[in-house]
Amino acid sequence: MKKFKRSLRRRSPSIRSDEIIDYKNTSLLRRFVSEQGRILSRRLNRLASKQQRSVALAIKRARILALLPFSNNEN
């Protein structure tokens, strides 16, 4: 009996070798932000810890410069 079953949730793609993690690359950063505007965890992103730290830092910088929203409330 399997205790843990793999969920069929949206699989977040990892970063390809030709992609650069930068706060100006909003199309890349949007893949690592949830629908609510939260930064997705490293496990969901399938990133190394060094990559996750740089993605989080780039998202925070893009939010401060108003390139990405802090929250994505469309109510």
Side-chain angles (χ1 to χ4, degrees):
M1 180 174 134
K2 284 190 175 181
K3 211 172 199 181
F4 299 105
K5 193 174 184 180
R6 282 200 144 178
S7 64
L8 298 174
R9 276 194 243 162
R10 179 185 77 141
R11 291 182 59 117
S12 299
S14 60
I15 297 174
R16 294 185 307 225
S17 61
D18 61 337
E19 292 176 321
I20 298 171
I21 302 170
D22 190 25
Y23 70 93
K24 294 175 276 190
N25 192 354
T26 57
S27 60
L28 172 70
L29 296 179
R30 285 184 196 276
R31 294 192 314 197
F32 302 108
V33 177
S34 70
E35 294 176 359
Q36 293 85 22
R38 296 180 181 172
I39 300 173
L40 293 175
S41 68
R42 179 179 162 239
R43 190 181 70 226
L44 290 176
N45 288 337
R46 296 186 294 157
L47 296 175
S49 57
K50 192 172 186 179
Q51 289 176 325
Q52 178 69 18
R53 283 192 302 267
S54 60
V55 163
L57 185 64
I59 289 172
K60 290 173 186 178
R61 285 181 179 165
R63 284 176 175 169
I64 290 172
L65 294 173
L67 298 174
L68 286 177
F70 277 95
S71 63
N72 201 6
N73 296 334
E74 295 177 358
N75 294 336

